[in-house]
Amino acid sequence: MLSKRVVACLDVKNGELSKGVQFVATEMLGDPVAKAKAYYEDGLDELVFYDITASSDQRNIMLDVVQNVAQEIFIPFSVGGGIRTREDAAGLLMAGAEKISLNSAAVLRPELIKECAQAIGTQNTVLSMDVRAVVPNTACPSGYEVVINGGRKAMGVDAIAWARRGCELGAGEVVVNSIDADGMKQGYEIKLTRLVAEAIPVPVVASGGAGTPAHLHQVLTEGKADAALVASMVHYGDYRVLDIKQYLNRQGVKVRMNY
Amino acid sequence: MRPSVIIVDYEAGNLRSVQRACEAVGLSAEISADPEVVRHADRLIFPGVGTAETAMGTLARLGLDEALVSFFQSGRPLLGICLGLQVLLDYTEEGGRDCLGIIPGQCKRFQFVESDYKVPQIGWNEVSKASEHPLMAGVPEGAEFYFVHAYYAIPDQRSHVLAETTFGDKTFASVIGRDNVFATQFHLEKSGRFGLELLAAFGKWDGAVC
């Protein structure tokens, strides 16, 4: 039986690990490669790196990080942030990433998903979407709207419709990140996650809001997510990956326990 | 120095991650698209992501299809990974392609009535041994490996099924092999410690099954 995945997300800024709350006020947390290695040894199932480097001339630092991670860590990992062309995507794959994750650039130019899926394969092309709750309206009947640029710009695009469109264009997995829940440690946006999971034929990774192992349990069962993403709760040492997986296992969620 | 492993390059995915995993277990590995290099390798890894259709087309164009069959006939150790497993069979439903025919059988796509099982299968799943094989000796029962695939192999002969995995209500062959060929549907280069151990065992294997 397929296991549910615990995924750790590392935001990388100028080659260093950082963590924000509701997408702003980031603080620096040290070497992302060392952190990733510690999680790997602790039984983490997958890693996501988001490059939140502001200036494009610093981007090659991210390629170094990816290369260093790939030399030491033998579980799948994806990289997102700043990917605007199929060449960007292919370069990250060559550096050792398993998948690439498209976000703002895909909202602005949806064809990018198709181009990447054709160049590197559907299974390696992830659509990551930042979403906030709104009053349901004509443009966003589900009550969830897609935002871009780290949550600063609303797009008037319905999140559920966008997830469907992304899959039609070739996304092989969708990460649903709730801006409202991000960094708050109050639990995932269960309703949003479930709506997306029921709407699309590919796996869904829930993101934003994890504070306790019980939150992961909720989103992996009630929220119908295939994987749950954690950040703050492991970066600050509140929980170990091991603790989270043991909890899920005890609650009857199938997770990889032998590693 | 002569590399201990040649990784077949047919423009199908991330070969560098396979090469890095080889390095991590002390195997020197070179990536090559040259049929002569492939034919005369001491040990061959045949990886791959993408579609079987494109893969078979590229293999034929580069002259690697014949090189692979000839390598298999040499009796030296051959490791197939993911798509590299699927094209070892006679035929795949994916694009209705004839494949290499090294292992008799075919590939089919997962079909589920219940929509709770999403295709492709992406993630970690348990691998249970179906028959004894020297490469599997160090793998504990129920160890999990990382899968990404929509098609699965159905070998004609039960003896070619080395291990099985259950996805949804379907139990499929996740490791197949015959003689000097060993092939995994999962990505052992992305499967943590047990994947690396399997790769290390392949590096020491002489291609004999007993």
Side-chain angles (χ1 to χ4, degrees):
Chain A
M1 191 180 146
L2 186 63
S3 289
K4 299 281 188 180
R5 286 170 280 157
V6 176
V7 182
C9 178
L10 294 93
D11 288 342
V12 180
K13 189 174 185 180
N14 301 325
E16 270 195 77
L17 182 60
S18 77
K19 179 61 202 155
V21 175
Q22 289 187 315
F23 282 39
V24 286
T26 53
E27 60 177 293
M28 305 314 283
L29 293 170
D31 176 16
V33 183
K35 206 79 166 173
K37 189 151 191 242
Y39 298 156
Y40 166 61
E41 284 165 359
D42 221 12
L44 186 75
D45 300 312
E46 193 166 325
L47 279 158
V48 178
F49 292 89
Y50 278 117
D51 186 3
I52 56 168
T53 303
S55 65
S56 54
D57 55 332
Q58 304 280 328
R59 294 273 179 215
N60 51 358
I61 296 175
M62 194 60 194
L63 282 176
D64 288 343
V65 171
V66 170
Q67 261 161 7
N68 292 334
V69 168
Q71 260 156 26
E72 301 196 47
I73 292 165
F74 299 96
I75 53 172
F77 72 95
S78 59
V79 179
I83 300 164
R84 290 184 182 83
T85 64
R86 75 176 84 191
E87 288 75 24
D88 292 341
L92 287 163
L93 238 63
M94 275 312 289
E98 179 79 8
K99 312 183 231 190
I100 59 98
S101 189
L102 303 171
N103 195 325
S104 301
V107 180
L108 296 171
R109 196 172 68 81
E111 286 297 303
L112 178 61
I113 300 173
K114 199 172 179 179
E115 291 164 15
C116 287
Q118 279 168 353
I120 63 170
T122 285
Q123 71 279 8
N124 297 330
T125 305
V126 180
L127 173 63
S128 173
M129 41 190 246
D130 297 334
V131 177
R132 66 169 193 187
V134 291
V135 176
N137 56 65
T138 326
C140 303
S142 72
Y144 291 102
E145 180 180 31
V146 176
V147 293
I148 64 165
N149 293 347
R152 286 187 293 271
K153 191 174 176 193
M155 295 304 287
V157 172
D158 187 88
I160 309 305
W162 175 231
R164 282 206 185 98
R165 175 91 200 281
C167 294
E168 284 161 17
L169 287 164
E173 189 165 68
V174 173
V175 179
V176 184
N177 190 23
S178 163
I179 295 278
D180 307 307
D182 182 65
M184 303 303 281
K185 299 190 180 187
Q186 298 299 307
Y188 296 89
E189 241 281 21
I190 301 298
K191 188 183 157 206
L192 166 68
T193 310
R194 189 178 174 124
L195 277 174
V196 176
E198 286 175 343
I200 61 173
V202 303
V204 167
V205 183
S207 165
T212 68
H215 292 151
L216 281 91
H217 178 249
Q218 196 188 10
V219 84
L220 292 170
T221 51
E222 224 183 295
K224 293 200 164 184
D226 298 277
L229 198 134
V230 294
S232 316
M233 71 183 283
V234 293
H235 296 336
Y236 293 108
D238 298 349
Y239 292 93
R240 288 178 60 179
V241 171
L242 188 70
D243 301 330
I244 298 171
K245 293 185 79 171
Q246 278 174 350
Y247 175 86
L248 292 171
N249 184 47
R250 279 199 307 273
Q251 297 298 313
V253 175
K254 168 112 183 333
V255 285
R256 181 176 67 113
M257 292 305 292
N258 189 1
Y259 41 81
Chain B
M1 203 185 78
R2 192 176 160 83
S4 39
V5 177
I6 295 294
I7 299 168
V8 184
D9 178 7
Y10 59 112
E11 300 156 17
N14 188 0
L15 307 173
R16 286 285 296 144
S17 60
V18 176
Q19 191 180 30
R20 284 203 185 89
C22 285
E23 284 160 8
V25 298
L27 290 171
S28 60
E30 263 176 32
I31 296 170
S32 177
D34 181 343
E36 282 312 296
V37 173
V38 166
R39 222 179 281 265
H40 297 110
D42 292 335
R43 211 173 280 282
L44 205 61
I45 298 182
F46 181 40
V49 289
T51 72
E53 249 182 303
T54 311
M56 280 309 296
T58 311
L59 288 171
R61 177 166 56 79
L62 299 174
L64 286 166
D65 49 353
E66 285 170 15
L68 277 158
V69 172
S70 139
F71 180 89
F72 161 65
Q73 286 161 349
S74 78
R76 295 190 297 273
L78 170 60
L79 172 63
I81 303 173
C82 196
L83 187 61
L85 170 150
Q86 297 184 1
V87 300
L88 292 174
L89 293 133
D90 292 320
Y91 173 82
T92 178
E93 243 182 40
E94 188 174 22
R97 280 287 316 208
D98 282 337
C99 295
L100 295 172
I102 288 174
I103 296 178
Q106 57 172 313
C107 282
K108 281 195 167 175
R109 190 181 164 88
F110 285 117
Q111 299 278 7
F112 295 114
V113 183
E114 217 180 316
S115 61
D116 276 356
Y117 305 120
K118 295 190 169 180
V119 178
Q121 164 169 240
I122 299 182
W124 299 79
N125 203 336
E126 288 163 49
V127 169
S128 303
K129 290 174 211 178
S131 47
E132 286 304 314
H133 191 280
L135 289 189
M136 298 285 287
V139 178
E141 192 52 33
E144 293 184 45
F145 292 85
Y146 186 74
F147 291 82
V148 181
H149 65 129
Y151 292 79
Y152 63 96
I154 310 167
D156 289 346
Q157 293 177 39
R158 180 68 198 165
S159 62
H160 293 162
V161 179
L162 303 181
E164 291 176 311
T165 294
T166 301
F167 176 47
D169 54 10
K170 186 87 209 165
T171 296
F172 67 95
S174 50
V175 183
I176 64 174
R178 63 172 288 200
D179 308 318
N180 53 320
V181 181
F182 182 88
T184 67
Q185 180 56 65
F186 50 81
H187 286 273
L188 42 74
E189 77 280 12
K190 292 284 177 185
S191 291
R193 178 163 63 90
F194 296 128
L196 292 181
E197 282 174 9
L198 210 43
L199 194 57
F202 173 73
K204 297 189 187 98
W205 188 38
D206 62 2
V209 285
C210 49

